[in-house]
Amino acid sequence: MDKKDWGFETRTIQAGYEPKNGEPRVLPIVQSTTYAYDTAQAVADLFDLKVEGHMYSRISNPTVDAFEKKMASLEGGVGALATSAGQTASAFAIMNIAGTGQHVVASTKLYGGTFNLFEHTLRKLGIDFTFVDQNASAEEIKAAFRPETRALFGEVLTNPGTEVLDLDKFSAIAKEMDVPLIVDNTFPTPYFCNPIQHGANIVIHSATKYIDGHATSVGGVIVDGGNFNWANGKYPELSEPDPSYHGLSYTETFGEAAYIVKARVQLTRDFGAYMAPQNAWLCNLGLETLHVRMDRHAENALKVAKWLEADDRVAWVKYPGLEGDEDYKNAKKYLRGCSGVLTFGVKGGRAASEAMMDALELATIQVHVADIRTCVLHPASMTHRQLNDEQQKACGVLPDLVRVSVGLEKAEDIIADFDQALKAATK
Ligand SMILES: *Cc1c(COP(=O)(O)O)cnc(C)c1O
């Protein structure tokens, strides 16, 4: 059987690292900034991008490379770049193809950190953003485009709102407007969704979440679908000579991998922010059990969501795996599972929700999501705190919203904890 045809579960374990005779069976941590060469010419060829190889761990490293290759395989892309954080992946994904005077259309339903990055930091660098309602009609979304628009951006399963992006609608809009669709696939992970199969061109992840899965490492990944025509005239930085590489053109030299090669050899060369070998090793270890963990996260979350839905003390529950959920149809269409993240509000509003959180014993209050331990967070006063009320509402953050990241503990124990906390908060 061709290794490319291996099933997803096999590739989570086997892809990316292939030891040769006598080499370690488990991916080694290459804790070295530097690599030895026999000749000056060998290094010059690396600098000229004439040959593949490692020269400096700001740009590539064998441990990180194995993790990148596995991620590219799992997402069905032509290449990947691992970054020091999910935030870097979002920033580089945009900066690789947009600059001063250019523009990006993005959904309003974004992770708070992504919204801040776009609205404030990238805007300061001269890249403008228009935020659109992802549930608006294609016509309304297209009206936000300008001649200088260079990308369309959305989250496949939104954090914290757990809304499901209509990937077919978004990819059709991107195609018609001749710009790439960039999606953040952090919550579904490649196990529950492969956005490239639905027409996305670039997929980014916060590897900090389910990919690592154990809350040990901050990291990010950009995966290139290799399915966008960068030589359409809008992206001269990819199709025209790059003066920082003696006039090399990425599309001519690297073909379908042009985007991801450019991100590595320009952006990580110039900014760093590359993933550390230790973190790549931990993220790779996490991937080895991704499929087993994700099924259980989704199973536990559905049990908790159903229990909350039936409880009188709960005002509302949002989980796209619930049949009555407004995103159930899109979840069925695009996701093989809905992850472990759900949101709910306690009757009595914000104060009651916060009191419930304070009374939890098994679940902890954490500024994290998507790992093996059940945790809760109040986005309005934490991750989305820097946003004003209107921006919070646009991101899907209600004052009473509690985000629950359902872990891999016994579902009945998690439910019992919410039961006693609700009792304490609503007595
Ligand atoms: C956490 C998160 C990010 C940012 O990732 P970091 O690894 O924390 O930098 C981006 N997108 C989503 C959906 C996230 O949950």
Side-chain angles (χ1 to χ4, degrees):
M1 191 172 179
D2 195 288
K3 289 179 182 178
K4 281 201 310 294
D5 300 328
W6 276 344
F8 187 92
E9 293 81 350
T10 307
R11 286 177 285 128
T12 63
I13 295 161
Q14 301 277 355
Y17 173 62
E18 295 178 26
K20 296 188 193 70
N21 189 44
E23 288 182 352
R25 179 65 195 92
V26 175
L27 175 67
I29 306 175
V30 180
Q31 196 66 51
S32 179
T33 60
T34 188
Y35 307 87
Y37 288 95
D38 292 337
T39 64
Q41 187 60 45
V43 180
D45 287 346
L46 281 173
F47 270 98
D48 280 350
L49 306 181
K50 280 188 184 144
V51 293
E52 270 187 56
H54 304 289
M55 56 179 169
Y56 189 50
S57 290
R58 190 196 324 121
I59 298 164
S60 73
N61 167 281
T63 309
V64 188
D65 179 61
F67 169 65
E68 291 168 335
K69 289 203 162 83
K70 184 175 282 186
M71 280 303 301
S73 167
L74 297 179
E75 281 290 11
V78 297
L81 174 70
T83 53
S84 56
Q87 285 295 101
T88 321
S90 302
F92 283 6
I94 301 288
M95 289 162 71
N96 202 30
I97 48 168
T100 305
Q102 293 180 332
H103 172 254
V104 173
V105 176
S107 165
T108 54
K109 297 283 165 62
L110 295 178
Y111 168 68
T114 311
F115 182 78
N116 275 331
L117 168 71
F118 290 179
E119 173 73 8
H120 300 290
T121 302
L122 289 186
R123 214 189 270 284
K124 244 187 252 170
L125 299 182
I127 305 171
D128 200 9
F129 288 81
T130 301
F131 296 96
V132 295
D133 173 3
Q134 64 185 39
N135 295 318
S137 70
E139 291 313 312
E140 287 171 281
I141 296 171
K142 274 188 271 179
F145 279 70
R146 308 173 190 165
E148 63 273 20
T149 304
R150 289 296 174 268
L152 177 62
F153 188 101
E155 275 174 34
V156 178
L157 178 55
T158 66
N159 178 5
T162 71
E163 292 185 31
V164 182
L165 186 70
D166 187 341
L167 282 167
D168 285 348
K169 179 175 76 181
F170 262 58
S171 61
I173 294 168
K175 208 166 187 172
E176 194 180 326
M177 306 314 280
D178 212 9
V179 302
L181 172 61
I182 306 176
V183 293
D184 180 333
N185 195 31
T186 296
F187 276 6
T189 80
Y191 180 54
F192 282 155
C193 182
N194 286 132
I196 292 165
Q197 283 176 6
H198 297 285
N201 305 103
I202 306 296
V203 179
I204 64 132
H205 284 276
S206 167
T208 318
K209 314 297 165 54
Y210 288 119
I211 288 173
D212 162 19
H214 302 74
T216 67
S217 315
V218 174
V221 196
I222 307 172
V223 180
D224 184 351
N227 55 352
F228 187 80
N229 173 25
W230 302 109
N232 67 359
K234 289 185 181 176
Y235 304 92
E237 64 272 43
L238 278 142
S239 56
E240 301 303 313
D242 177 355
S244 74
Y245 281 106
H246 311 304
L248 162 151
S249 146
Y250 294 95
T251 49
E252 278 171 27
T253 311
F254 301 105
E256 57 178 12
Y259 174 95
I260 203 70
V261 171
K262 176 179 175 292
R264 179 185 305 278
V265 302
Q266 275 187 355
L267 294 173
T268 62
R269 177 197 63 186
D270 296 350
F271 289 103
Y274 191 52
M275 186 178 270
Q278 282 271 353
N279 284 8
W281 188 86
L282 286 159
C283 288
N284 178 68
L285 190 67
L287 281 180
E288 291 177 352
T289 55
L290 182 74
H291 51 295
V292 185
R293 290 186 285 110
M294 291 313 292
D295 278 338
R296 183 61 70 84
H297 276 296
E299 189 187 313
N300 275 1
L302 187 60
K303 281 184 190 165
V304 174
K306 282 185 173 163
W307 181 85
L308 288 168
E309 195 178 34
D311 195 283
D312 284 345
R313 298 163 294 186
V314 172
W316 57 270
V317 187
K318 172 92 183 65
Y319 182 64
L322 287 173
E323 266 171 55
D325 193 272
E326 56 196 356
D327 288 285
Y328 183 73
K329 224 178 89 210
N330 274 342
K332 278 273 160 240
K333 184 171 175 189
Y334 297 115
L335 309 178
R336 291 182 286 270
C338 293
S339 93
V341 184
L342 61 88
T343 58
F344 77 101
V346 181
K347 276 185 189 159
R350 179 173 180 155
S353 285
E354 286 185 319
M356 186 281 304
M357 288 174 64
D358 292 348
L360 288 165
E361 287 168 358
L362 179 151
T364 44
I365 300 173
Q366 269 172 239
V367 183
H368 198 249
V369 63
D371 72 78
I372 54 168
R373 291 165 204 89
T374 298
C375 62
V376 294
L377 175 138
H378 184 240
S381 63
M382 300 172 188
T383 47
H384 290 66
R385 189 181 182 84
Q386 277 101 14
L387 276 54
N388 63 35
D389 290 352
E390 210 170 291
Q391 290 169 332
Q392 286 194 355
K393 224 176 107 203
C395 284
V397 176
L398 302 168
D400 66 343
L401 183 151
V402 179
R403 186 186 70 191
V404 185
S405 175
V406 180
L408 302 183
E409 303 92 343
K410 192 174 171 67
E412 289 70 20
D413 293 344
I414 302 169
I415 288 169
D417 192 33
F418 280 102
D419 189 25
Q420 67 78 23
L422 282 164
K423 212 170 279 165
T426 56
K427 69 171 176 252

